[in-house]
Amino acid sequence: MFRDLKLTNSEEKHQEGISLVASLKDLHSENLGNLTAIPVSGLQNFDALDVHKRIGSVAVEIAADFGFKEDVQAEAPFRLINQDDNLNEVLSSGQLPSFIALSYCWHNTSWEFHGDPVNVPIAATNVCWPISIGMVKALLLERTSLEEGIWIDQCCINQDDPQEKSQIIGFMNCIYEQARVVVVVLEDVVIDEAERVFLETLMQKCSSRGPKEPYTLLESNSTHRVVGLALKIFSARWFTRAWCNHELLVSKNHILLIGVRTPSHDQPKVLRLTLQFLDSMVLVCSSYDYTGAKDKHHLTLMAQYRNLRFLHIILNPFGLGGGYSLGKIDDDHSIARRLKSPVETFRNLSRFGATVAADKLTITLNIVGSGLYYKGTQRPEHECGLLISVVALAAGDPAVLCSSGDRYELLNQSARSSWIQRPEHLDFTGIAGRKGTHRRIDYVPSFTLEQVELDFFHLTSNSGPHIRRASEPFLTQAQQYIDGCIEMSKSDPMFQLGATLADQRGTKIQILACALECGPQWINNSASAKTSTDYPDPDLEQAIEVLISDRRDMELGFQGLTERYRDLYEVLTDFIETLMLDYISPINVPDWSPAWISVGPGEMDQLLLMCPNYGRPFSVMIPSLLLHADYTNCKRFFLLERVSQKADIWKVIGKSMAFCSDLDVLTRQESRLRRRQMIRA
């Protein structure tokens, strides 16, 4: 995970003498006069023409807001900053020249950057270098030759031409993807000389040992220092911006530049490192004990650490660079059947800032390889979310059907709502896939902004006897076990897993009670059907049979148990947490609670889900499009109220995940299938 890193301007490599004089040049070669020089991403995630036609069938005015990237190539110019007057000789080959792309935060009054601004204008433009002098010099030192160009959005796009800006922004992913390297500049974070020496020493030590686990390469007393530096670096504004996240995800090679504080009379220094190294620092943070944080400083560290863990998901080798590569996918998980979810991508962008809300729509289209770009007017973020949902469903993204948040308002009609809902955090994170991809639904249903037509398997008819709550004996067993584990954890530090049961205790008691009522064998069979776990686990069934029926051993305390019993307690407690987090995602609504339903004649044909408690009639259904096991861990069970008694028109009152073995039994029950059911807001 560590690479050999160096200072770009150490003692032997001062920046003095580096010229800042440069010019902006259009690529005038016959084949390089515009963005035709930049190849479109190797994997086209969508059939852009087909998706665009479907969008047009929903709303012509929405389709008019989207254009094709291929059309942009023939129109928009491609320019590079260059210091070599012989650039035309390089272009005579007709090949795309090597270039560096800069990733940075635009200077404005909302944040403070360190260093002196550059007052040297770039020839053929009315702008100067948009980063500080020290960073410009470090950037120029990254070139492999004077012939290598540099692409900077603020300089290479005509900021006074709205059409050109829209076109190139819609093609931005291809530019960063084709850059030889993306140089990330952090200008609001500065480390001191002692921190530089510490990091340089650490990097050299790690480089000499090779790519080992980062925390095995550190002395125990240096962990707190690594944590402090990681939090300092990741406090940079760059890590909070949507466009910066976009530039990271779509590019392949990165280096990062951080300023080093020096006496005013010295030349500025810049530390050069890789994002892989920073990711390793994040992993080191995972060994830091945040549980004792009490003062304001440590509470801030805890909050930043949570953000770091999210950054690790982005930066780790499975997600870093080559954003469109899906890797090898076996059996029916072919690339043709999968897509990078626009809805999930847009939802993830919600934690990043953007000056223009519609940029998140553009970024989403770029990241997922849609072949489309947004050319419409600026819109608020909720309207962008609705538009991206339309694009996503037109492309076959199941996440639109599985979203369970508030309904989007119709465009320019705030008094009316669409049937399309905003995605919540746990709606579809479990859709089985590789690298953030989803299995496409088998066909795109007929839909408009006001309604969607789906075929459903009908599981229950009302809130009567078909929906069952846990009975009293099983509630008593579940409560005694969970409360006993919580008490054990208070006196036995070795059993801290038991303390996790205190969070949302009541819901966990009900979930466990419903599962116990369905039986230990059903629990193990259902667990074995989940590809994301290590089940089947014979210990799980034994733990249920032994620990639930006999709780006298709890009086001994966790440390007083035999090793076998300790293992069983941990297996069962971990299962309850897994069940809660991965399969029965809790709904923060007071009148919803766990229940179970029998969907077939066999003892194994039960499913556990969340349902409302109120007495109004409702039905539990699942769209036939979402029966596949790939959708096990998403909210694919619709809880519906009938809107019209004369027609099959329904309103969604909620959605739920479910824990069950499989749903093949439904395909053998044609009487449950209801075709062309209409869902409205």
Side-chain angles (χ1 to χ4, degrees):
M1 285 190 175
F2 289 101
R3 290 178 53 184
D4 187 20
L5 309 174
K6 62 185 179 66
L7 289 175
T8 60
N9 54 343
S10 56
E11 290 288 330
E12 67 278 8
K13 203 171 186 180
H14 283 298
Q15 293 179 341
E16 52 186 290
I18 298 177
S19 172
L20 301 185
V21 176
S23 61
L24 186 68
K25 299 182 180 179
D26 287 291
L27 304 191
H28 293 297
S29 167
E30 179 179 354
N31 295 323
L32 297 174
N34 49 43
L35 286 176
T36 305
I38 306 292
V40 179
S41 171
L43 172 63
Q44 281 300 291
N45 204 16
F46 298 172
D47 181 335
L49 182 61
D50 186 50
V51 170
H52 195 269
K53 286 181 179 178
R54 290 200 184 109
I55 297 171
S57 69
V58 174
V60 174
E61 63 273 18
I62 293 179
D65 282 345
F66 295 93
F68 298 98
K69 286 183 184 289
E70 291 183 354
D71 295 339
V72 171
Q73 285 183 289
E75 300 173 6
F78 179 53
R79 309 179 183 100
L80 290 175
I81 299 170
N82 192 268
Q83 290 185 310
D84 189 357
D85 291 334
N86 297 319
L87 178 62
N88 289 332
E89 296 179 10
V90 179
L91 299 178
S92 62
S93 65
Q95 300 296 316
L96 178 69
S98 176
F99 68 95
I100 295 171
L102 180 68
S103 183
Y104 67 110
C105 290
W106 284 37
H107 293 176
N108 59 52
T109 56
S110 67
W111 63 286
E112 181 179 354
F113 72 94
H114 297 276
D116 298 321
V118 179
N119 295 318
V120 179
I122 297 171
T125 76
N126 58 357
V127 297
C128 298
W129 292 91
I131 54 177
S132 61
I133 291 176
M135 290 299 182
V136 172
K137 293 182 176 181
L139 172 65
L140 293 173
L141 286 172
E142 289 297 327
R143 295 172 301 171
T144 56
S145 70
L146 288 177
E147 297 169 347
E148 186 165 47
I150 296 173
W151 191 88
I152 303 176
D153 58 356
Q154 200 168 343
C155 306
C156 298
I157 303 174
N158 183 354
Q159 301 298 322
D160 297 324
D161 185 339
Q163 181 178 357
E164 180 181 318
K165 286 174 63 177
S166 174
Q167 291 172 333
I168 299 183
I169 285 173
F171 206 83
M172 196 88 78
N173 58 310
C174 300
I175 294 175
Y176 278 88
E177 187 182 79
Q178 292 299 318
R180 179 183 64 81
V181 65
V182 172
V183 175
V184 177
V185 171
L186 306 185
E187 295 189 280
D188 54 341
V189 171
V190 177
I191 60 175
D192 60 32
E193 184 65 16
E195 291 169 331
R196 179 197 67 78
V197 171
F198 173 76
L199 279 177
E200 191 173 34
T201 302
L202 177 63
M203 290 186 287
Q204 290 173 351
K205 182 171 77 169
C206 294
S207 175
S208 65
R209 295 194 185 187
K212 297 181 181 293
E213 290 295 327
Y215 38 82
T216 65
L217 303 176
L218 294 168
E219 301 294 337
S220 58
N221 61 1
S222 66
T223 301
H224 71 282
R225 195 170 184 185
V226 174
V227 170
L229 277 172
L231 295 172
K232 183 175 185 177
I233 293 171
F234 281 110
S235 69
R237 189 174 187 268
W238 187 89
F239 292 102
T240 70
R241 307 305 295 168
W243 273 116
C244 297
N245 178 60
H246 163 271
E247 291 152 12
L248 167 65
L249 289 178
V250 301
S251 53
K252 298 180 179 67
N253 302 305
H254 325 73
I255 65 99
L256 190 143
L257 304 177
I258 300 176
V260 180
R261 185 178 295 108
T262 59
S264 57
H265 60 277
D266 287 353
Q267 288 290 330
K269 289 185 178 181
V270 176
L271 180 65
R272 180 187 190 274
L273 59 154
T274 67
L275 291 174
Q276 288 91 340
F277 175 76
L278 291 185
D279 182 46
S280 299
M281 293 180 72
V282 173
L283 291 180
V284 171
C285 292
S286 66
S287 64
Y288 189 76
D289 183 11
Y290 293 84
T291 57
K294 295 181 180 179
D295 59 42
K296 183 177 180 180
H297 172 69
H298 282 86
L299 289 173
T300 301
L301 293 185
M302 286 184 5
Q304 287 180 303
Y305 173 69
R306 295 188 189 99
N307 291 332
L308 289 186
R309 293 306 300 165
F310 172 73
L311 284 164
H312 169 62
I313 295 172
I314 293 177
L315 299 177
N316 73 61
F318 296 102
L320 180 60
Y324 308 136
S325 175
L326 303 184
K328 182 181 178 181
I329 300 177
D330 301 324
D331 52 72
D332 67 341
H333 293 71
S334 64
I335 288 178
R337 293 203 62 84
R338 310 199 72 80
L339 80 162
K340 200 169 183 69
S341 168
V343 169
E344 186 171 359
T345 301
F346 187 83
R347 185 203 63 189
N348 289 338
L349 284 171
S350 65
R351 71 186 70 209
F352 295 95
T355 304
V356 178
D359 282 354
K360 293 185 181 181
L361 196 160
T362 296
I363 292 169
T364 298
L365 294 173
N366 286 351
I367 290 176
V368 303
S370 67
L372 299 173
Y373 77 100
Y374 181 70
K375 59 179 183 178
T377 59
Q378 300 302 333
R379 295 183 181 271
E381 189 160 333
H382 71 273
E383 289 190 1
C384 295
L386 178 59
L387 293 184
I388 209 66
S389 294
V390 171
V391 173
L393 187 53
D397 185 0
V400 181
L401 300 178
C402 301
S403 297
S404 68
D406 294 337
R407 291 175 180 81
Y408 285 111
E409 296 174 352
L410 293 178
L411 301 177
N412 304 318
Q413 299 182 47
S414 58
R416 298 176 57 197
S417 297
S418 171
W419 69 271
I420 300 173
Q421 296 175 259
R422 290 176 172 84
E424 295 287 351
H425 174 57
L426 295 176
D427 282 348
F428 41 78
T429 54
I431 293 181
R434 306 287 183 89
K435 300 184 181 180
T437 66
H438 293 177
R439 178 190 174 91
R440 296 176 192 266
I441 50 180
D442 290 337
Y443 64 90
V444 176
S446 174
F447 76 100
T448 66
L449 294 181
E450 291 82 11
Q451 60 190 32
V452 61
E453 189 176 88
L454 296 167
D455 294 343
F456 281 97
F457 280 99
H458 198 280
L459 305 184
T460 66
S461 58
N462 52 51
S463 55
H466 297 291
I467 296 177
R468 306 174 186 178
R469 309 290 173 177
S471 57
E472 194 61 38
F474 294 100
L475 283 170
T476 300
Q477 286 184 337
Q479 179 177 342
Q480 289 175 339
Y481 176 78
I482 287 180
D483 287 348
C485 288
I486 294 172
E487 287 302 313
M488 247 195 328
S489 68
K490 292 178 181 178
S491 57
D492 292 306
M494 291 180 63
F495 189 48
Q496 285 306 302
L497 185 60
T500 62
L501 296 177
D503 183 32
Q504 301 189 63
R505 166 184 166 276
T507 302
K508 290 175 182 175
I509 289 173
Q510 294 180 63
I511 287 177
L512 178 58
C514 287
L516 294 175
E517 194 155 355
C518 293
Q521 187 178 354
W522 171 83
I523 292 175
N524 217 23
N525 283 1
S526 298
S528 66
K530 312 305 177 186
T531 58
S532 61
T533 69
D534 295 328
Y535 301 114
D537 186 349
D539 289 347
L540 176 58
E541 193 168 342
Q542 184 181 0
I544 294 170
E545 293 175 344
V546 173
L547 303 182
I548 296 296
S549 61
D550 185 1
R551 297 175 305 281
R552 289 174 295 177
D553 48 272
M554 284 186 172
E555 299 174 0
L556 301 174
F558 192 72
Q559 296 184 51
L561 300 174
T562 65
E563 183 177 355
R564 177 60 179 163
Y565 263 63
R566 288 200 296 269
D567 289 344
L568 291 178
Y569 269 107
E570 290 183 341
V571 165
L572 181 53
T573 303
D574 183 63
F575 167 73
I576 296 170
E577 287 296 306
T578 300
L579 190 62
M580 179 82 165
L581 295 175
D582 293 346
Y583 305 119
I584 315 296
S585 174
I587 300 171
N588 295 321
V589 179
D591 54 359
W592 284 60
S593 63
W596 61 281
I597 299 173
S598 181
V599 296
E603 293 182 357
M604 299 295 106
D605 297 332
Q606 285 84 38
L607 60 87
L608 178 56
L609 76 169
M610 299 289 288
C611 285
N613 292 317
Y614 52 72
R616 295 202 311 269
F618 64 87
S619 295
V620 180
M621 302 187 193
I622 180 172
S624 59
L625 286 171
L626 300 178
L627 277 184
H628 196 279
D630 269 11
Y631 309 126
T632 294
N633 302 83
C634 65
K635 290 183 178 174
R636 55 180 174 161
F637 292 87
F638 285 49
L639 284 74
L640 303 171
E641 284 184 343
R642 189 182 289 274
V643 175
S644 171
Q645 297 298 326
K646 297 180 180 180
D648 290 325
I649 302 175
W650 304 83
K651 178 179 71 174
V652 177
I653 61 173
K655 297 175 186 176
S656 176
M657 296 182 189
F659 184 69
C660 55
S661 54
D662 63 64
L663 295 173
D664 289 344
V665 64
L666 292 177
T667 63
R668 300 189 292 273
Q669 302 180 61
E670 283 295 320
S671 62
R672 290 184 180 268
L673 185 60
R674 305 285 192 274
R675 298 191 182 277
R676 302 186 67 176
Q677 307 292 290
M678 193 69 68
I679 304 298
R680 291 182 180 170

